Amino acid sequence: MIRYLLLLALAGAACAEKARFDNYRVHSVLPESEHHLRFLRELEENNDFLFWNDVRAVNASVHIMVPPHKTAQFQEIVDFVGLKSEIYINDVQKLIDAENNNPAARSGIFGWNAYYRLNDIYNWLDSLEAQYPGVVSVVVGGTTYEGREIRGVKVSYKAGNPGVFVEGGIHAREWISPATVTYILNQLLTSQDPAIRDIAENYDWYIFPSFNPDGYEYTHTTNRLWRKTRSRSSSLCYGADPNRNWGFHWMDGGASSSACSETYAGSSAFSEIEARSLSQYISTIADKLSVYLSFHSYSQYLLIPYGFSNAHISNYDTLMDIGKKAINSLSQRYGTKYVVGNIVDVIYVASGGSMDWVRGEYGTPITYTYELRDTGRNGFVLPAEQIIPTGEETLDSVLTILQEARSVI
Ligand SMILES: [Zn+2]
């Protein structure tokens, strides 16, 4: 009984208050040996500190958030192992407060100078259907644990086009992803640039700004740094990682069976209703898809399948070739530098992702996962002033991918 009351109290507190990150720091730590890597992987598994990026390789920095009350403990650990550490973010709360302070966010007029709530995005999608009759149609790709729609749009100027699927926001805290996806959608409808008009009108687009609406809303109302879904099992911890839950090589490395882990793969493949219902939706249009693009943040990578293995897939050379051209296009406008490669080669093993499932299940030829800006100075909390530049440079690269894809699909 007492435990039950305690649980209720905890649940109540979680609803009532917004998590604050006053004086939380993000340290960039540099592993210089295999021993360092093993140590950092173990530290991550303990869930004592929130890791903002992955433990990848020797000389690839790892970003770890340290609460003020754990500063001494963290310093002791770093000193003991002999890790070099530098402060990247001095106060996470200050960054969060400044991130979205543009009053436009509360004006109800949708745009790209602020980050918007789910309903603002959905209302905007609905308005597009009214504004572009016969071109834009609202589609529902699935349902969430808390009963929200997973709403998207189909954009089609004519019959018989090859299909492009655009997925945003599967990880809740990566706000630049839905913002970039809606930016691209808006450009497809409004740009007068002949090259953009060409890809807009000669592909059919299936665009979903948020694959994880419950999580996204939770990052607005309660915890800015939430990543997972909001499902509840018997465990004390909520949610699973919706990008470790898809049923192709599920739990085949780089995913956790511990419910409290940030990369918890779920109790079974497609245990999460979001991944399950979206997979069913994608199945209905899979024969029309030539391209699948998934948007995450952060780290500035352009990734190709698979996440469970770095064995070369059948068109590895083509995807690498197009990918290199795409990141070159992306760098032209603002000098933003990306790295292209197989997920395992660039980051680390990560199984159960949506792109792996689409590729594995349907053999969709052109598949990429973006890790958008930045490289860690703001991390997930990218200031709203960067939405438009990020959208512009990303669209430059999408244009290249779709132009190049024509010769191979
Ligand atoms: Zn992500």
Side-chain angles (χ1 to χ4, degrees), residues 287-334:
D287 60 331
K288 301 184 180 78
L289 296 181
S290 299
V291 181
Y292 191 93
L293 302 176
S294 167
F295 290 90
H296 290 247
S297 75
Y298 61 94
S299 288
Q300 296 174 196
Y301 300 141
L302 185 62
L303 303 168
I304 68 174
Y306 286 113
F308 72 90
S309 161
N310 63 354
H312 287 191
I313 54 175
S314 58
N315 63 343
Y316 174 88
D317 291 341
T318 303
L319 288 180
M320 284 299 287
D321 180 47
I322 295 176
K324 283 175 192 159
K325 289 175 179 160
I327 65 169
N328 182 52
S329 302
L330 191 149
S331 72
Q332 296 302 309
R333 216 179 264 265
Y334 299 108

Side-chain angles (χ1 to χ4, degrees), residues 241-263:
D241 183 337
N243 208 41
R244 299 289 185 281
N245 191 240
W246 296 63
F248 182 73
H249 285 259
W250 179 78
M251 274 297 280
D252 192 4
S256 175
S257 55
S258 157
C260 295
S261 165
E262 291 280 58
T263 54

Side-chain angles (χ1 to χ4, degrees), residues 170-171 174 227 296-297 371:
I170 196 167
H171 287 142
E174 299 165 6
R227 168 183 169 95
H296 290 247
S297 75
E371 294 285 352

Side-chain angles (χ1 to χ4, degrees), residues 108-183:
I109 299 162
F110 195 75
W112 293 272
N113 294 312
Y115 294 104
Y116 287 85
R117 297 285 293 269
L118 186 76
N119 267 338
D120 295 325
I121 297 174
Y122 281 3
N123 289 337
W124 181 68
L125 296 180
D126 291 348
S127 76
L128 295 177
E129 187 180 55
Q131 215 177 331
Y132 298 92
V135 173
V136 177
S137 39
V138 169
V139 286
V140 178
T143 313
T144 72
Y145 183 84
E146 292 174 347
R148 296 184 176 90
E149 270 185 3
I150 305 175
R151 201 176 296 176
V153 290
K154 180 183 177 187
V155 177
S156 177
Y157 283 87
K158 63 178 169 58
N161 284 334
V164 181
F165 197 101
V166 177
E167 165 211 311
I170 196 167
H171 287 142
R173 64 191 172 196
E174 299 165 6
W175 282 10
I176 190 60
S177 165
T180 301
V181 167
T182 55
Y183 178 89

Side-chain angles (χ1 to χ4, degrees), residues 183-362:
Y183 178 89
I184 291 170
L185 168 57
N186 186 56
Q187 289 298 310
L188 293 173
L189 295 169
T190 62
S191 173
Q192 300 301 314
D193 178 338
I196 300 297
R197 293 261 44 81
D198 174 39
I199 60 162
E201 295 177 20
N202 293 303
Y203 285 96
D204 276 2
W205 298 79
Y206 300 86
I207 300 179
F208 288 83
S210 177
F211 256 29
N212 180 7
D214 293 351
Y216 185 67
E217 274 301 276
Y218 194 72
T219 61
H220 279 273
T221 60
T222 313
N223 182 348
R224 174 67 188 83
L225 296 176
W226 190 256
R227 168 183 169 95
K228 301 191 280 182
T229 60
R230 292 296 299 162
S231 61
R232 254 146 276 175
S233 57
S234 56
S235 161
L236 262 181
C237 289
Y238 285 46
D241 183 337
N243 208 41
R244 299 289 185 281
N245 191 240
W246 296 63
F248 182 73
H249 285 259
W250 179 78
M251 274 297 280
D252 192 4
S256 175
S257 55
S258 157
C260 295
S261 165
E262 291 280 58
T263 54
Y264 176 46
S267 54
S268 59
F270 292 125
S271 61
E272 302 311 287
I273 187 173
E274 295 83 2
R276 186 167 70 246
S277 55
L278 281 162
S279 73
Q280 288 160 359
Y281 175 77
I282 292 169
S283 297
T284 66
I285 53 164
D287 60 331
K288 301 184 180 78
L289 296 181
S290 299
V291 181
Y292 191 93
L293 302 176
S294 167
F295 290 90
H296 290 247
S297 75
Y298 61 94
S299 288
Q300 296 174 196
Y301 300 141
L302 185 62
L303 303 168
I304 68 174
Y306 286 113
F308 72 90
S309 161
N310 63 354
H312 287 191
I313 54 175
S314 58
N315 63 343
Y316 174 88
D317 291 341
T318 303
L319 288 180
M320 284 299 287
D321 180 47
I322 295 176
K324 283 175 192 159
K325 289 175 179 160
I327 65 169
N328 182 52
S329 302
L330 191 149
S331 72
Q332 296 302 309
R333 216 179 264 265
Y334 299 108
T336 310
K337 294 268 178 290
Y338 270 57
V339 172
V340 62
N342 162 277
I343 295 173
V344 180
D345 289 337
V346 174
I347 307 179
Y348 190 57
V349 180
S351 62
S354 56
M355 175 176 75
D356 271 20
W357 181 82
V358 169
R359 173 74 187 205
E361 191 77 13
Y362 295 107

